């Protein structure tokens, strides 16, 4: 726990530096341009797996490891392994151009107008995070951190400026169990979240009293919240194993206390997701097409943004992935080398109201270090997940996968 605390301290130092840069950039935008209030239409995810993003984020009916804490806690039900995810740092950006632009705005103050002109229709986005997790039979615990920072300017005639800034860290734990072995699973996951940040539209009312201290006070909204998720999955065992899942996230809202800043961070609304997948376990490959329909009850979200499609082709040490996320293609690759796993993906996010309006193309990578064994098959290095028939998959033992 001392190691985790030290990592959290370092993360908070980096958070303070990043916040200072965001304040500088936002004040610069607001002083130079007349801005109008606008609501960002992006559907943000508080925690994401790079494997899932490569599959179009259609993951609720697929997940079976410690990431079940964030996607579908029913995935913990059939686990018989003991596994320690030592660390899985994740980083993402929406292009190398973003780094150059940020540095230009920060360092070349004499040429700010030209630097900002180049941002119209684009978005500065960076994300990251990671966790350390313990996976036990039917149970998991994790300490995690996740960040999402975005700045998006559009419409040079009447500039719109949207600023998203969120930094989370906390703990999650969950348990899953089988109501009917191998067929009906359910689980619960609980989280304690320390959140800093908000979604901030900069408009005329903000300009009237704008100063650096006031803006920083808005961005430093900090509080603690508690969330609860429920998930259930129905599967048909066999070498071709279809499954259906339903997940209820943030039961009864996740609200935050007011610890610092201008107020509490915005609450997280409940989310209802439906997922489906077919796991086809062949001799030399495992093929998993998947589907997920997110935010079922939200009438303010266009239907095309709710649909997610995915496909994973697992070729022993190598996994190839593709999918559809909010109307845009995704692609990914994973490589397993003993206790080391490397995942990379690209995916598109819709910034407008409907797919095809304004895409933001993002690139993410994740490195995972984990140790574990399954006492049921005496396999070391992976999570010991079972195939649809309940047998230990020999191909997965060779691969040392989840």
């Amino acid at each position: 726990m001392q190691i985790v605390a030290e990592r959290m301290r370092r993360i908070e130092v980096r958070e303070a530096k990043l916040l200072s840069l965001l304040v500088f950039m936002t004040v610069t935008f607001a002083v130079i341009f007349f801005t109008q209030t606008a609501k960002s239409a992006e559907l943000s995810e508080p925690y994401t797996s790079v494997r899932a993003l490569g599959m179009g984020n259609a993951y609720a009916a697929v997940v079976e490891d410690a990431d079940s804490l964030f996607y579908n806690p029913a995935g913990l039900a059939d686990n018989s392994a003991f596994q320690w995810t030592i660390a899985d740092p994740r980083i993402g950006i929406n292009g190398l151009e973003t780094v150059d632009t940020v540095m230009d705005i920060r360092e070349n103050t004499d040429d700010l107008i030209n630097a900002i002109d180049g941002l119209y229709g684009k978005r500065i986005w960076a994300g990251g995070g990671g966790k350390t997790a313990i996976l036990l039979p039917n149970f998991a615990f994790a300490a995690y951190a996740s960040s999402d920072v975005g700045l998006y300017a559009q419409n040079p005639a009447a500039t719109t400026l949207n600023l998203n800034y969120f930094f989370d860290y906390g703990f999650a734990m969950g348990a899953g169990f089988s109501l009917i072995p191998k067929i009906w699973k359910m689980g619960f996951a609980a989280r304690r979240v320390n959140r800093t940040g908000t979604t901030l539209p900069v408009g005329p009312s903000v300009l009237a009293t704008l100063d650096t201290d006031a803006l920083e006070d808005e961005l430093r909204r900090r509080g603690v919240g508690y969330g609860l998720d429920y998930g259930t999955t129905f599967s048909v065992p066999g070498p071709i194993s279809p499954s259906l899942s339903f997940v209820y996230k943030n039961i009864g809202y996740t609200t935050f206390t007011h610890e610092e800043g201008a107020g509490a961070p915005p609450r997280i609304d409940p989310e209802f997701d439906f997922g489906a997948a077919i796991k086809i376990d062949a001799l030399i490959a495992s093929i998993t097409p998947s589907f997920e329909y997110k935010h079922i009850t939200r009438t303010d979200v266009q239907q095309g943004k709710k649909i997610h499609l995915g496909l994973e082709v697992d070729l022993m040490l190598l996994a190839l992935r593709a999918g559809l996320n909010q109307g845009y293609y995704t692609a990914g690759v994973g490589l397993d080398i003993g206790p080391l796993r490397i995942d990379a993906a690209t995916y598109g996010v819709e910034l407008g109201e409907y797919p095809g309006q304004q895409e933001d193309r993002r690139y993410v990578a994740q490195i995972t270090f984990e140790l574990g064994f399954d006492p049921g098959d005496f396999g070391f290095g992976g999570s010991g997940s079972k195939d649809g028939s309940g047998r230990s998959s020999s191909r997965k033992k060779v691969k040392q996968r989840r």
Side-chain angles (χ1 to χ4, degrees):
M1 296 304 295
Q2 184 176 0
I3 296 175
V4 173
E6 177 63 21
R7 287 179 179 173
M8 293 299 184
R9 186 191 67 79
R10 293 177 181 176
I11 290 172
E12 288 178 340
V13 171
R14 291 195 294 269
E15 172 201 357
K17 294 180 180 178
L18 179 60
L19 184 59
S20 298
L21 176 58
L22 276 172
V23 171
F24 173 82
M25 292 175 60
T26 306
V27 170
T28 299
F29 267 67
V31 170
I32 293 179
F33 293 101
F34 175 80
T35 63
Q36 63 182 23
T37 301
K39 181 179 179 180
S40 173
E42 179 185 346
L43 288 173
S44 61
E45 297 283 348
Y47 179 90
T48 52
S49 158
V50 172
R51 180 193 179 200
L53 292 173
M55 299 177 65
N57 218 18
Y59 204 45
V62 178
V63 65
E64 294 178 337
D65 58 7
D67 279 338
S68 299
L69 292 169
F70 306 96
Y71 282 94
N72 180 4
L76 301 172
D78 283 342
N79 174 66
S80 61
F82 296 83
Q83 181 174 300
W84 177 26
T85 300
I86 302 171
D88 63 351
R90 165 178 51 89
I91 189 170
I93 198 169
N94 64 341
L96 295 177
E97 182 183 52
T98 296
V99 179
D100 296 335
T101 302
V102 171
M103 296 308 297
D104 287 343
I105 293 176
R106 188 179 185 184
E107 297 176 1
N108 301 327
T109 55
D110 294 334
D111 196 24
L112 282 173
I113 293 180
N114 288 335
I116 294 173
D117 278 343
L119 287 178
Y120 291 124
K122 300 179 181 178
R123 177 182 170 97
I124 295 175
W125 176 84
K131 69 178 181 299
T132 181
I134 301 294
L135 181 67
L136 303 173
N138 306 102
F139 177 82
F141 171 84
Y144 71 97
S146 181
S147 64
D148 188 287
V149 179
L151 185 64
Y152 177 52
Q154 61 184 140
N155 190 3
T159 305
T160 296
L161 176 63
N162 297 314
L163 174 62
N164 292 326
Y165 169 65
F166 290 102
F167 173 76
D168 295 347
Y169 69 92
F171 303 93
M173 66 174 60
F177 51 92
S178 295
L179 297 177
I180 302 176
K182 308 301 179 184
I183 296 178
W184 184 11
K185 302 177 291 184
M186 68 176 359
F188 293 89
R191 294 178 307 280
R192 183 183 191 274
V193 186
N194 293 269
R195 167 164 288 191
T196 301
T198 188
T199 296
L200 181 66
V202 179
S205 61
V206 178
L207 283 175
T209 58
L210 182 65
D211 62 70
T212 301
D213 292 337
L215 181 58
E216 185 168 348
D217 201 39
E218 285 289 333
L219 294 177
R220 282 198 178 278
R221 291 174 176 263
R222 183 173 66 84
V224 177
Y226 296 87
L228 179 64
D229 299 345
Y230 163 81
T232 187
T233 299
F234 298 89
S235 301
V236 178
I240 299 178
S241 177
S243 60
L244 300 175
S245 69
F246 174 79
V247 184
Y248 181 12
K249 297 181 180 179
N250 302 301
I251 298 174
Y253 298 94
T254 297
T255 57
F256 297 90
T257 61
H258 177 202
E259 304 289 337
E260 186 180 354
R267 71 184 185 183
I268 306 175
D269 293 337
E271 178 182 340
F272 296 88
D273 300 338
F274 169 79
I278 301 176
K279 301 178 183 180
I280 305 171
D281 201 1
L283 181 61
I284 62 173
S286 176
I287 303 172
T288 307
S290 59
F291 165 83
E292 192 162 347
Y293 186 68
K294 296 177 178 285
H295 306 285
I296 295 174
T297 60
R298 286 191 58 175
T299 58
D300 60 323
V301 178
Q302 203 270 344
Q303 295 295 326
K305 295 177 67 173
K306 299 180 179 182
I307 295 174
H308 302 257
L309 299 173
L311 175 68
E312 181 178 64
V313 179
D314 221 337
L315 302 167
M316 290 195 164
L317 300 179
L318 181 69
L320 303 177
R321 301 163 188 139
L324 190 72
N325 180 74
Q326 299 182 18
Y328 300 106
Y329 81 88
T330 71
V333 62
L335 179 65
D336 273 319
I337 310 173
L340 173 66
R341 186 171 70 250
I342 302 173
D343 295 290
T346 179
Y347 66 103
V349 171
E350 178 55 58
L351 301 178
E353 296 297 329
Y354 53 86
Q357 186 176 10
Q358 182 63 56
E359 178 190 12
D360 187 33
R361 174 60 47 182
R362 299 176 179 179
Y363 307 87
V364 290
Q366 188 169 32
I367 300 176
T368 303
F369 302 90
E370 58 188 19
L371 297 172
F373 72 96
D374 188 338
D377 58 22
F378 303 102
F380 287 82
S383 68
S385 60
K386 308 292 185 180
D387 64 16
S389 65
R391 296 175 287 104
S392 299
S393 172
S394 59
R395 189 179 59 81
K396 290 185 177 180
K397 284 193 290 182
V398 172
K399 291 172 54 185
Q400 300 179 349
R401 283 198 59 81
R402 302 173 178 83

